[in-house]
Amino acid sequence: YVDAGAVWNDLVDGNGTADANGTVNVNVPGIYEITYSFTDSSGNQASPVVRAVQVLDTTGPVITLIDDANLTHEAGSEYVDAGAVWNDLVDGNGTADANGTVNVNVPGIYEITYNFTDSSGNQASPVVRKIQVIDTTAPVITLIGDKNVTHLAGLEYIDQGAVWNDLVDGTGTAGATGTVVVNVPGTYEIIYSTMDDAGNSAVPVVRQVNVIDSESPVIILNGFANLTHEAGSEYVDAGAVWNDVVDGNGTADANGTVDVNVPGTYEITYSFTDSSENQAN
């Protein structure tokens, strides 16, 4: 504030600038008085003149964002807003009020609006920050059970499966592709995969199931294990059959002869070796 001042006029002394008393605090709205006075060379005092200066605050604060007005934020991770500050000719500066929320678990565009009203009731023009929550992180698949499994042929195979975890979508059961043929020894693969709601595909996880045949075939005699046969008559052996979890069943190999003309004890031995080289006991 620069005061215009006042002048005095006197019949004897002429004229000049009047003395001014009083101050104006331009940082505090209110009414201030400046009093002008003068005493001439004969000791005559002029009637004081007063100027009233009303300091008004009609200028709104200005809000400035900290960080960018448009942000991209990865879903699932905590969002910490940088905020905004206000500056005012009278009130100085401070932190602007923020309104709005960001749901980090739901992709979308969110707005936070900053505002401030100074002590004179002047409102700042609101400033808006837009936060786009995006989901670019793929789910992670975790196997239940071992990655490499050895399974005995012939027995039912029940897979333990796998689960997925996603920052946004939570958890669930991974999809599985692949079959295990329990009657055919070999190595089989089951592949687990999933895609989240944002279209992010998890890295597939593979379980190898090694079907092995370590079970020996079982031989069953047709007829009795101990027989009595009349010498001189033809001997026709009843034979034996084998059963195997992989190869099924069939006729066992027979080794040994019976001389029907020579009384005595004879043995016929039955054996079988399956396709996995397991010998029957």
Side-chain angles (χ1 to χ4, degrees):
Y1 174 75
V2 179
D3 190 68
V7 295
W8 56 264
N9 287 277
D10 186 70
L11 292 174
V12 174
D13 296 339
N15 56 66
T17 301
D19 298 324
N21 291 281
T23 58
V24 177
N25 190 340
V26 297
N27 294 316
V28 180
I31 296 176
Y32 300 88
E33 290 186 349
I34 298 177
T35 302
Y36 305 93
S37 61
F38 179 70
T39 300
D40 66 15
S41 59
S42 299
N44 302 305
Q45 291 182 341
S47 297
V49 175
V50 178
R51 171 177 284 135
V53 181
Q54 184 177 7
V55 176
L56 299 175
D57 178 13
T58 60
T59 303
V62 175
I63 295 175
T64 304
L65 284 175
I66 301 172
D67 210 344
D68 297 330
N70 296 285
L71 295 176
T72 299
H73 182 76
E74 184 65 31
S77 60
E78 181 185 7
Y79 174 75
V80 179
D81 192 69
V85 294
W86 56 263
N87 286 276
D88 187 71
L89 292 174
V90 171
D91 297 339
N93 55 66
T95 301
D97 301 323
N99 293 282
T101 58
V102 177
N103 189 340
V104 296
N105 294 317
V106 180
I109 296 177
Y110 299 88
E111 290 186 352
I112 297 179
T113 302
Y114 306 89
N115 50 56
F116 179 72
T117 301
D118 66 18
S119 58
S120 298
N122 302 304
Q123 292 183 341
S125 296
V127 175
V128 176
R129 189 195 318 276
K130 290 185 177 181
I131 301 99
Q132 184 176 10
V133 176
I134 61 172
D135 179 12
T136 63
T137 303
V140 176
I141 296 175
T142 304
L143 285 175
I144 301 173
D146 296 331
K147 183 177 182 180
N148 296 287
V149 175
T150 299
H151 182 74
L152 190 61
L155 300 179
E156 180 185 8
Y157 174 74
I158 300 175
D159 191 69
Q160 292 181 275
V163 295
W164 54 263
N165 288 276
D166 187 70
L167 291 174
V168 173
D169 298 337
T171 65
T173 301
T177 58
T179 56
V180 176
V181 181
V182 296
N183 293 320
V184 180
T187 299
Y188 299 88
E189 288 188 347
I190 298 179
I191 301 173
Y192 305 91
S193 60
T194 192
M195 179 184 292
D196 66 17
D197 291 342
N200 302 303
S201 294
V203 176
V205 175
V206 178
R207 189 195 320 274
Q208 288 192 335
V209 182
N210 187 25
V211 176
I212 62 170
D213 179 14
S214 61
E215 289 287 318
S216 297
V218 176
I219 295 177
I220 302 172
L221 286 174
N222 294 326
F224 298 107
N226 296 288
L227 296 175
T228 300
H229 183 74
E230 185 64 35
S233 61
E234 181 184 8
Y235 173 75
V236 179
D237 190 67
V241 294
W242 55 264
N243 287 281
D244 186 72
V245 292
V246 172
D247 297 338
N249 55 67
T251 301
D253 300 324
N255 292 282
T257 58
V258 176
D259 190 342
V260 297
N261 295 315
V262 180
T265 300
Y266 298 88
E267 288 186 350
I268 298 177
T269 302
Y270 304 92
S271 62
F272 178 72
T273 300
D274 68 16
S275 59
S276 298
E277 301 300 322
N278 299 305
Q279 292 184 344
N281 296 322

